[in-house]
Amino acid sequence: MSPTLFKLSPGVQSYDWGKKGSASLAAQFGNTCVEGFQIDENKTYAELWMGTHPTLPSKLTSDSSLLSEHIKSNSALVGDKVISKFQDSKEGNLPFLLKVLSIGTALSIQAHPDKTLARKLFDERPNVYKDPNHKPEMAIALTPFLAFLNFLPLPNLLLNLLVVPELKAIISSKLIESLASSVGLPTNPPFDLSTYRQTPCSPTDENKQILKQIFDALMSADKDTVTTAVRALIERYKKGEKIEEAEKSVVDLALMLNDQYPDDVGVLCVFFLNVVELKKGEAAFLEANSPHAYIKGDIIECMATSDNVVRAGLTPKLRDVPTLVEMLTYESGPGDQQLLQPTTFGSQDQATKLYDPPIEEFSVLRVELPSGGKTSHRKIEGPSIAVVTQGSGSIVKGDDKVEFERGNVIFIGANEEVTWEASKDLEVFRAYVEA
């Protein structure tokens, strides 16, 4: 009978935006769990991938066989209910992909397609969009984490268009007037900040159409116009001259982004997108067709098994501006609307928090135990992957016991009650799917 608890050897991705050498959590964990991996202090390490995605599939530590092949041959590890609900799991494909991200420089301004668009993009351009699946994702902060998350409330965005002179060469006065009229706010100074920072209503269809036109104007602006605007903005900020109150909170971020991506249109997104900082343990859920960009920090990330990204700024990679502009939902509102509050996992388990986004493919548990502590998890109807982010201990199921340390990655089969035991203060993130 195949064991239901076993260690995995995942993979490490080295992208330019990662952190260098052993400063990267992805590399630190990889140094523990990835067979044959050694940290090069001159290389940037960005992501630890844990799952069955064919780009970087996990293997069993015991014999280096592919996790996908192993669970295809041992369907009880996935469970009948999950196989019934997610047909691709018959072939050994998990419906979720778990990652650790270490972000040294900002990622691209991007969004992920829904299922219908993902299928269309894959059929039309499989060399760019590698699979037909959607990619809703959740980020949980391991360290203080900064990100762009969706569009600002429209009154805030309007205020930026009115007070930031460099935007007026890109966004026409006609569009600015249309936005102001649609939200019922004035365009003439002096600008009372409290008027533009009132609690906004949900955007109407008219609001969304105007926002789409404004964002299209920004992202489609010719390079010379953008370069001129960004350079004028950065020069003004460096001199500290004529900075309006509404701008002050994004000055340092604009300067940092321009250092990383000089003259890029993404620098101007500080005036269009929410800037949200998550503390350790806080989470955000990113729906399909929602603009975002991770800026700095370390996170646990879980997503539907896909690698589809539509990019339009802050990147040397392919930019697909027309697709991005067309696909977005143009919802807008305060950044905290994207946050996901954890709940307890079972009435008796105070050591485990549940992050449960409104999708079918995954949920994530966070286990925190002091040295010598223990907690049990009920049977889960589908498979799990867990990564140990702090401490050491063991996971026990009946007579089976797997000891682990920080950086280890463990697979847990379906329908198994397990107990976590900490030998040092412990933190574990467990991603799972349940039908």
Side-chain angles (χ1 to χ4, degrees):
M1 183 177 175
S2 174
T4 55
L5 303 176
F6 48 85
K7 289 181 181 178
L8 295 178
S9 177
V12 175
Q13 296 279 31
S14 180
Y15 302 138
D16 289 344
W17 53 260
K19 293 185 179 182
K20 187 168 281 191
S22 54
S24 166
L25 276 184
Q28 291 176 31
F29 296 165
N31 206 40
T32 298
C33 65
V34 179
E35 189 175 359
F37 178 77
Q38 290 186 319
I39 297 176
D40 179 345
E41 294 297 344
N42 294 312
K43 195 171 183 179
T44 53
Y45 298 102
E47 299 185 347
L48 183 75
W49 284 36
M50 297 162 280
T52 56
H53 194 286
T55 297
L56 195 61
S58 296
K59 300 176 181 180
L60 274 65
T61 301
S62 57
D63 61 6
S64 297
S65 61
L66 285 173
L67 173 61
S68 55
E69 292 298 325
H70 184 72
I71 60 179
K72 181 181 178 181
S73 301
N74 297 275
S75 61
L77 294 172
V78 177
D80 292 340
K81 289 188 176 181
V82 169
I83 288 174
S84 240
K85 188 165 191 176
F86 299 96
Q87 295 296 310
D88 208 27
S89 61
K90 288 181 182 177
E91 302 303 314
N93 299 308
L94 298 177
F96 64 85
L97 177 62
L98 181 64
K99 296 182 181 180
V100 172
L101 269 61
S102 292
I103 303 150
T105 59
L107 279 70
S108 55
I109 306 293
Q110 61 183 257
H112 305 301
D114 59 27
K115 284 185 177 180
T116 302
L117 179 58
R119 166 53 69 183
K120 180 175 182 288
L121 293 173
F122 175 69
D123 289 344
E124 293 175 351
R125 286 180 283 168
N127 59 319
V128 176
Y129 299 104
K130 305 292 188 180
D131 58 70
N133 201 15
H134 69 160
K135 193 187 177 186
E137 62 188 28
M138 177 171 64
I140 307 172
L142 293 171
T143 62
F145 168 64
L146 197 67
F148 285 131
L149 299 178
N150 216 349
F151 289 104
L152 285 165
L154 294 181
N156 297 24
L157 196 157
L158 173 62
L159 180 62
N160 289 338
L161 294 174
L162 293 172
V163 303
V164 179
E166 293 82 6
L167 296 178
K168 291 176 181 171
I170 299 174
I171 310 300
S172 70
S173 57
K174 182 180 178 181
L175 279 176
I176 296 172
E177 290 286 351
S178 293
L179 178 61
S181 175
S182 78
V183 295
L185 290 172
T187 58
N188 297 319
F191 302 112
D192 178 359
L193 266 62
S194 63
T195 301
Y196 295 85
R197 289 180 175 167
Q198 58 190 295
T199 303
C201 299
S202 296
T204 64
D205 289 344
E206 179 192 10
N207 294 152
K208 292 178 182 180
Q209 189 57 40
I210 295 168
L211 177 56
K212 180 179 180 179
Q213 293 173 29
I214 289 171
F215 192 62
D216 189 11
L218 173 71
M219 303 311 288
S220 302
D222 68 82
K223 183 169 177 52
D224 287 346
T225 300
V226 170
T227 297
T228 300
V230 173
R231 288 182 180 178
L233 177 78
I234 296 304
E235 182 178 3
R236 182 163 63 87
Y237 281 179
K238 285 181 175 177
K239 289 180 177 178
E241 296 177 352
K242 298 180 181 177
I243 299 175
E244 297 289 337
E245 189 64 32
E247 299 177 81
K248 289 181 179 178
S249 64
V250 299
V251 168
D252 289 343
L253 177 57
L255 292 171
M256 184 188 83
L257 292 176
N258 190 66
D259 283 343
Q260 296 175 3
Y261 300 95
D263 305 333
D264 193 283
V265 68
V267 175
L268 300 177
C269 284
V270 299
F271 304 115
F272 293 81
L273 303 176
N274 289 294
V275 181
V276 179
E277 182 166 4
L278 301 186
K279 301 181 181 69
K280 180 177 170 64
E282 292 184 331
F285 174 65
L286 306 171
E287 297 176 328
N289 304 323
S290 174
H292 62 277
Y294 298 159
I295 298 170
K296 62 179 179 178
D298 302 277
I299 60 171
I300 291 287
E301 186 182 48
C302 198
M303 65 202 68
T305 300
S306 173
D307 199 26
N308 282 325
V309 180
V310 183
R311 302 178 180 88
L314 301 179
T315 180
K317 296 181 179 180
L318 174 72
R319 302 180 185 214
D320 190 351
V321 172
T323 298
L324 185 78
V325 168
E326 196 57 41
M327 71 190 277
L328 298 181
T329 58
Y330 295 96
E331 294 293 339
S332 63
D336 59 10
Q337 286 185 357
Q338 312 299 312
L339 302 189
L340 183 75
Q341 299 300 325
T343 57
T344 55
F345 182 64
S347 58
Q348 304 301 314
D349 184 5
Q350 298 304 309
T352 304
K353 298 295 185 186
L354 168 64
Y355 299 84
D356 193 20
I359 52 158
E360 299 177 332
E361 285 86 352
F362 64 84
S363 301
V364 175
L365 302 175
R366 180 192 185 197
V367 181
E368 291 184 285
L369 287 171
S371 178
K374 65 168 59 176
T375 192
S376 294
H377 286 177
R378 62 163 175 83
K379 292 180 180 180
I380 289 175
E381 293 175 341
S384 306
I385 293 178
V387 57
V388 183
T389 53
Q390 181 180 315
S392 60
S394 59
I395 180 172
V396 181
K397 183 221 73 172
D399 294 331
D400 293 340
K401 182 176 184 177
V402 174
E403 295 184 346
F404 53 73
E405 61 181 328
R406 179 178 181 267
N408 278 145
V409 177
I410 302 154
F411 182 90
I412 305 163
N415 299 305
E416 300 291 356
E417 182 176 335
V418 298
T419 298
W420 299 92
E421 301 177 350
S423 51
K424 290 183 181 176
D425 289 357
L426 183 65
E427 180 183 60
V428 177
F429 287 88
R430 178 184 180 182
Y432 69 92
V433 58
E434 196 162 43

